[in-house]
Amino acid sequence: TDKRYERNRLYKITDIKEQYDAGCRSPILYYEALCVYNEEPYLLRELTDFEIQVMNYGIKNDIPTKELALQYAYLAGRQKYFNPVVYRSLTRLYSKFETEEILSAICSLLIKGYKRDSKYFEWYNRGVEAQLRITQLYEFFMYSVNEDRMDPLPEPLLLYFAYNSRLNDRKRAYLYANIIKNKQDNDYIYQLYYKGMEVFVKEQLEAHNISSNLATIYREFINKPELSGYFAKYLPEVMFTWELFCDNPNIASVIVVHKELDEAQTIPLAEGRAKIQLYTTDAHIFLIDSMGNRYSVSIDYTLNPLLRPEEFEHITMDYENHTGLLLYLYDHYRANRVVSEEAIKLRKLALSVPGLKETYYLDCLLTLIEYYYENYDADLLEYYLMKLDLSKVKESGRIKYLEYMVVRG
């Protein structure tokens, strides 16, 4: 044994490291280094490839003492960049020692690596529960949390975001939806966020955005007088949105066909999901694979309405400039054989819908002609008769409309 090692164990580490740098990867050398580190943890002063490999070997074989584990965690927490080997080693150490120092190192390393996947949530959650003071810990908690989780969020996190919200719109929607779901248990937090949520509703409606969490927020504010104008103007842009789920990896997009319109919607799937617009009860849905093949019934999918139009029948909405709302009301009036002044006004507007199929254009036009004939409004009857192409009318009905024309000269 080299007597230098007895006077200063750092010499032994230096010699072992030279062997490592020369290409030696012997577990015996790793073990010798670990014995030194266990006796004098402060000799672990940096984390180069050598120290990381030695510690990784030692942790896999349950060699480091708690003191050495804490020294390793201290150095790992000071790393500038994420290292997957260091991360895995730290998680093994935490499972054995469960100290805040090791947990803090894990969270810090994940944040430096910008790790926001849901598989890392358990660490951010533990960090928040332990009230660790780490920059951006709350943000990464929110980015990694499963948005289906609606149990109350930690109060320190809620207080933090009430004054320091740097979340993107999707995560803000989740945060606000969670607060709304739990408002009965924490009215103070609800009131603290109320004004911010109100502004957020306006922004999201103006941007025509919708999601399951936004739907929760919209329902919460739909009857607030101060927002009635926003909902009347913008709700038609989002209220017909359905979320389609398909777990078949071959499906690339979805086509929605409304039989009233010439043009179909084509929406790409992202992670098996797509948001589609369904205005009428008999719209057709086709799934499209990567080869362009269409499927109507042979591949399973599920549909979830984000909002239901019937929820908002008490709201007066501007349908004059919204094709979807016009089609929805047209479908409703036609199915229920409603003939009223409102139904007639709607059919007038439907005549100008871009891409309205000829069949439905003719149906609206004939309904208007019949209405003004029976209610005898000579000017309007003549106006709509002038728009009628008799060649498009079934032979059995042509004589009647020809007589109307003759009567009007």
Side-chain angles (χ1 to χ4, degrees):
T1 303
D2 193 327
K3 291 185 178 180
R4 293 179 305 148
Y5 298 164
E6 296 176 5
R7 296 194 305 270
N8 189 337
R9 306 301 294 275
L10 183 59
Y11 289 131
K12 188 171 186 177
I13 292 296
T14 302
D15 289 347
I16 293 172
K17 194 169 184 178
E18 287 179 358
Q19 292 295 314
Y20 178 88
D21 291 340
C24 181
R25 298 294 185 269
S26 170
I28 296 174
L29 287 179
Y30 293 165
Y31 180 76
E32 289 292 329
L34 284 161
C35 288
V36 174
Y37 286 141
N38 270 341
E39 290 180 15
E40 300 181 44
Y42 67 88
L43 291 179
L44 183 66
R45 298 172 178 175
E46 58 182 351
L47 291 185
T48 66
D49 285 347
F50 167 72
E51 288 84 5
I52 290 172
Q53 292 303 321
V54 167
M55 289 300 297
N56 185 47
Y57 171 81
I59 292 166
K60 284 182 177 179
N61 292 279
D62 197 25
I63 296 174
T65 62
K66 182 176 181 180
E67 289 72 21
L68 179 56
L70 293 177
Q71 177 67 8
Y72 181 67
Y74 168 73
L75 293 173
R78 298 180 65 187
Q79 292 289 95
K80 291 183 178 180
Y81 307 105
F82 177 81
N83 185 306
V85 177
V86 175
Y87 164 68
R88 288 193 295 271
S89 297
L90 287 171
T91 59
R92 290 192 180 101
L93 288 175
Y94 186 81
S95 66
K96 180 178 180 180
F97 297 113
E98 295 190 2
T99 70
E100 284 192 7
E101 292 86 348
I102 298 173
L103 178 59
S104 179
I106 292 172
C107 291
S108 296
L109 204 60
L110 289 173
I111 291 170
K112 289 170 184 174
Y114 213 67
K115 303 299 180 181
R116 293 162 43 157
D117 294 344
S118 58
K119 65 182 179 181
Y120 300 112
F121 172 74
E122 65 167 306
W123 297 113
Y124 299 130
N125 187 40
R126 286 174 176 172
V128 170
E129 288 179 347
Q131 299 185 33
L132 298 180
R133 294 182 177 274
I134 300 174
T135 302
Q136 290 193 297
L137 176 60
Y138 290 144
E139 283 84 356
F140 278 80
F141 174 103
M142 290 296 292
Y143 283 122
S144 62
V145 69
N146 183 339
E147 292 181 18
D148 292 329
R149 166 185 169 163
M150 279 298 162
D151 54 311
L153 292 168
E155 186 146 334
L157 178 146
L158 293 171
L159 292 171
Y160 171 83
F161 282 120
Y163 304 104
N164 301 280
S165 184
R166 293 191 293 251
L167 297 173
N168 61 30
D169 286 347
R170 174 178 164 180
K171 287 301 178 177
R172 286 175 69 194
Y174 166 69
L175 173 66
Y176 296 156
N178 184 282
I179 290 169
I180 289 167
K181 292 276 189 180
N182 295 287
K183 67 177 182 178
Q184 299 299 329
D185 299 321
N186 201 336
D187 185 63
Y188 168 73
I189 290 293
Y190 178 81
Q191 296 300 330
L192 190 62
Y193 274 87
Y194 186 88
K195 285 296 182 183
M197 290 192 291
E198 187 177 62
V199 171
F200 186 68
V201 167
K202 293 178 181 179
E203 294 172 349
Q204 296 303 301
L205 282 173
E206 287 180 354
H208 305 165
N209 290 334
I210 183 65
S211 66
S212 58
N213 287 323
L214 281 173
T216 297
I217 302 168
Y218 290 159
R219 288 190 182 96
E220 179 71 11
F221 284 85
I222 191 72
N223 293 315
K224 306 298 183 183
E226 59 271 22
L227 292 177
S228 59
Y230 276 85
F231 281 104
K233 183 175 182 179
Y234 297 112
L235 190 59
E237 302 290 347
V238 298
M239 65 188 281
F240 301 106
T241 306
W242 292 61
E243 194 162 34
L244 181 145
F245 302 86
C246 179
D247 58 8
N248 188 313
N250 297 319
I251 298 303
S253 59
V254 57
I255 290 179
V256 179
V257 178
H258 290 90
K259 64 179 194 271
E260 297 87 354
L261 300 175
D262 288 325
E263 190 173 339
Q265 305 173 43
T266 301
I267 305 97
L269 263 69
E271 299 180 352
R273 300 181 180 219
K275 290 175 185 173
I276 63 175
Q277 302 293 312
L278 296 178
Y279 305 126
T280 61
T281 55
D282 52 3
H284 295 294
I285 295 173
F286 300 94
L287 300 178
I288 313 298
D289 66 19
S290 55
M291 303 296 292
N293 300 308
R294 293 191 178 197
Y295 306 87
S296 59
V297 294
S298 58
I299 294 181
D300 292 334
Y301 63 87
T302 58
L303 279 174
N304 176 42
L306 297 180
L307 294 170
R308 294 184 181 276
E310 56 269 23
E311 296 180 69
F312 312 112
E313 290 179 350
H314 63 289
I315 297 176
T316 301
M317 285 176 268
D318 175 19
Y319 58 75
E320 294 190 17
N321 299 310
H322 194 277
T323 299
L325 184 53
L326 274 172
L327 288 180
Y328 169 77
L329 294 172
Y330 171 73
D331 184 60
H332 172 74
Y333 289 150
R334 186 183 57 189
N336 294 281
R337 300 182 181 277
V338 176
V339 179
S340 63
E341 288 188 11
E342 191 65 23
I344 292 302
K345 178 184 176 184
L346 183 139
R347 281 174 167 80
K348 289 180 181 179
L349 293 169
L351 292 178
S352 60
V353 168
L356 185 68
K357 282 191 175 177
E358 188 176 86
T359 305
Y360 297 95
Y361 179 90
L362 187 61
D363 177 76
C364 287
L365 185 56
L366 294 180
T367 299
L368 291 170
I369 291 171
E370 292 288 351
Y371 179 81
Y372 289 120
Y373 179 81
E374 291 174 8
N375 290 275
Y376 201 72
D377 187 317
D379 292 338
L380 286 173
L381 174 60
E382 183 172 340
Y383 175 78
Y384 288 108
L385 280 170
M386 292 291 290
K387 289 180 173 290
L388 180 62
D389 182 352
L390 281 174
S391 67
K392 306 295 185 183
V393 181
K394 292 181 180 179
E395 288 187 22
S396 58
R398 287 179 190 171
I399 294 176
K400 179 172 66 172
Y401 296 110
L402 187 57
E403 288 175 352
Y404 290 175
M405 291 178 177
V406 170
V407 170
R408 290 301 306 152

